[in-house]
């Protein structure tokens, strides 16, 4: 599927991702660390600290934790605004404590990075930018205005200006770099999670359709004999009841209803192809089934099948796995969408491999994304000719990711290429000049093991 799918969750949505209990526990750890640092600095090293103000700063955090623990359940998940305000309070409390304890001469100033990194990981871009800007402002203020640290004899702890500037610069760079890095990684993880969820949903839907068609086909097979018997007996009754028109009409009604039951079962079994109920089929049948929804879309689809190297002449019979059909259908849809007039679907096999190749005569994959095809939410950096052909098209992203994931799950190795240099003028391009997608399986992954008893009896599917 290349049609843009709605995001299951906005990449910038941090709502309901963080539990209140998590932030409360982290804050208790910070409180314990702050108390320990104050006691060690004042008692072990004899530094003169404004203990009253320091206790006030730490007490505010203790009070905030107690109030949150009383007002809200611990398993409450914070909204975007609530999480932002919580991190803003932590940043403000830490900056206030830093101003009381030496500013940037205090090595714990590096902890100002923590709220920004957490925001970059779980909150939206706007919240992260605001917290990052406030953190940089706090560091800048702490560089020029702070209560200096003094030893027991009253001597002020002084560091060279160049060290102070270097420490300030390192924290600012850390806020920018680590914030950007954390946000990039977290965004990619969310995209991957959403894409995998969509893949599972697509596979589950395809599996349900296959199972449903199998049940219908099994029902049609099992009911075929009794319906044929009913039809045969009703036909004999019609001949024998010529002298009793009323009873003859009832016999005709029985035969008509038997035919109706047959037609209903036949229609229900035609959700896909006529042989949808088969658990295995020839390679050509599976490929045609995968391409069937796109054969009447105004583009010519040509099929070619044949052995290569040491392949045997009869084409292999492969399993009709839902992930294979769904993945190939997505690839065929991409080719039909972007082809000018023709799509080629080729099936080849050797004694140990099965190769499926899909080619079109379009403009090929955009050079800017060909190295990243199959990653979720990959978009072209600039408008491409393909986009102009399909208004509203947002690029090759989730659909190709789903196809690639499903096919690789079945054991395939996929490769993406262009049939020719996309920068060649149209008159110099060969006919198959568009995108080329090749999927290669080991034969053991698709070919079912030989069964001496044939397909066997229909298996009851428990609900």
């Amino acid at each position: 599927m290349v049609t843009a799918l709605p995001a299951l969750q906005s990449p910038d949505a941090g709502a309901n991702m963080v539990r209140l209990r998590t932030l409360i526990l982290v804050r208790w750890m910070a409180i314990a660390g702050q108390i320990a640092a104050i006691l060690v600095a004042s008692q072990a090293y004899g530094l003169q600290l404004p203990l009253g103000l320091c206790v006030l700063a730490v007490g505010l955090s203790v009070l905030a934790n107690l109030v949150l623990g009383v007002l809200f359940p611990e398993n409450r998940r914070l909204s975007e605004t609530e999480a932002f305000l919580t991190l803003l309070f932590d940043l403000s409390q830490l900056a206030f404590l830093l101003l009381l304890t030496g500013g940037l001469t205090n090595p714990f100033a590096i902890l100002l990075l923590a709220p920004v990194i957490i925001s970059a990981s779980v909150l939206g871009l706007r919240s992260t930018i605001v917290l990052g800007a406030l953190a940089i402002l706090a560091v800048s203020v702490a560089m020029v205005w702070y209560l200096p640290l003094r030893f027991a004899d009253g001597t002020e702890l002084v560091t060279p200006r160049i060290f102070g500037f270097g420490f300030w610069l390192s924290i600012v760079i850390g806020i920018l770099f680590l914030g950007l890095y954390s946000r990039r990684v977290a965004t990619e993880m969310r995209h991957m999670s959403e894409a995998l969820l969509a893949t599972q949903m697509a596979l589950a839907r395809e599996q349900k359709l296959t199972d449903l068609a199998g049940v219908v086909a099994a029902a049609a097979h099992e009911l075929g004999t009794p319906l044929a018997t009913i039809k045969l007996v009703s036909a004999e009754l019609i001949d024998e009841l010529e002298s009793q028109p009323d009873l003859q009409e009832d016999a005709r009604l029985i035969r008509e209803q038997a035919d109706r039951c047959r037609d209903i079962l036949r229609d229900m079994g035609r959700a896909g192809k006529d042989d949808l109920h088969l658990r295995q089929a020839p390679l050509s049948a599976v490929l045609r089934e995968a391409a069937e929804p796109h054969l009447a879309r105004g583009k010519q689809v040509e099929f070619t099948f044949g052995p290569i190297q040491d392949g045997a002449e009869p084409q292999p019979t492969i399993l009709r796995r839902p992930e294979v059909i769904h993945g190939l259908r997505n690839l065929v849809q991409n080719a039909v969408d972007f082809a000018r007039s023709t799509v080629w679907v080729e099936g080849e096999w050797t004694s140990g491999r099965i190769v499926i190749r899909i080619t079109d005569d379009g403009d090929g994959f955009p050079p800017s994304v060909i190295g990243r095809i199959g990653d979720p939410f990959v978009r072209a950096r600039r408008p491409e000719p393909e986009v102009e052909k399909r208004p509203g098209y947002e690029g090759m992203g989730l659909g190709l990711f789903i196809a690639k994931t499903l096919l690789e799950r079945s054991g395939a190795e996929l490769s993406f290429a262009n049939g020719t240099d996309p920068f060649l003028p149209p008159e110099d391009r060969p006919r198959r000049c568009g995108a080329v997608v090749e999927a290669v399986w080991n034969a053991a992954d698709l070919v079912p093991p030989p069964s001496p008893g044939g397909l066997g009896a229909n298996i009851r599917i428990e609900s």
Side-chain angles (χ1 to χ4, degrees), residues 384-462:
E384 302 284 348
E386 295 91 340
V387 179
E388 298 173 1
K389 292 180 182 179
R390 297 187 62 203
Y393 177 72
E394 296 189 15
M396 296 165 298
L398 188 56
L400 273 180
F401 171 82
I402 291 175
K404 185 172 182 288
T405 302
L406 291 178
L407 293 176
E408 288 179 344
R409 174 175 175 169
S410 69
E413 294 183 6
L414 270 73
S415 60
F416 302 88
N418 286 323
T420 186
D421 188 343
F423 298 104
L424 286 176
E427 60 273 10
D428 294 337
R429 297 183 182 181
R431 190 181 179 200
R432 302 189 184 191
C433 58
V436 180
V437 182
E438 185 174 271
V440 181
W441 286 267
N442 289 325
D445 293 329
L446 287 185
V447 178
S451 175
L455 295 178
N458 292 321
I459 301 174
R460 181 182 298 274
I461 298 177
E462 301 292 344

Side-chain angles (χ1 to χ4, degrees), residues 50 54 90 110 131 142 191 221 280 314 342 409 433 441:
C54 291
D90 292 335
I110 195 70
L131 282 176
H191 282 171
H221 175 73
Q280 57 192 47
T342 308
R409 174 175 175 169
C433 58
W441 286 267

Side-chain angles (χ1 to χ4, degrees), residues 227-245:
L227 286 175
T229 303
I230 293 173
K231 184 175 180 181
L232 177 62
V233 172
S234 61
E236 293 178 353
L237 288 175
I238 291 173
D239 294 337
E240 295 178 1
L241 295 174
E242 291 183 358
S243 60
Q244 304 181 49

Side-chain angles (χ1 to χ4, degrees), residues 283 305-316 347-353:
L283 176 63
F305 305 99
I308 56 175
Q309 299 177 3
D310 57 349
E313 184 60 35
Q315 62 177 291
E348 301 173 342
W349 60 90
T350 67
S351 59
R353 294 193 312 161

Side-chain angles (χ1 to χ4, degrees), residues 3-41:
T3 305
L5 297 179
L8 302 177
Q9 182 181 4
S10 173
D12 293 335
N16 303 323
M17 292 185 62
V18 183
R19 287 191 305 172
L20 178 62
R21 179 184 180 184
T22 301
L23 293 184
I24 288 178
L25 289 176
V26 172
R27 187 178 289 165
W28 281 125
M29 294 173 60
I31 290 171
Q34 291 170 1
I35 293 175
I38 292 173
L39 291 177
V40 171

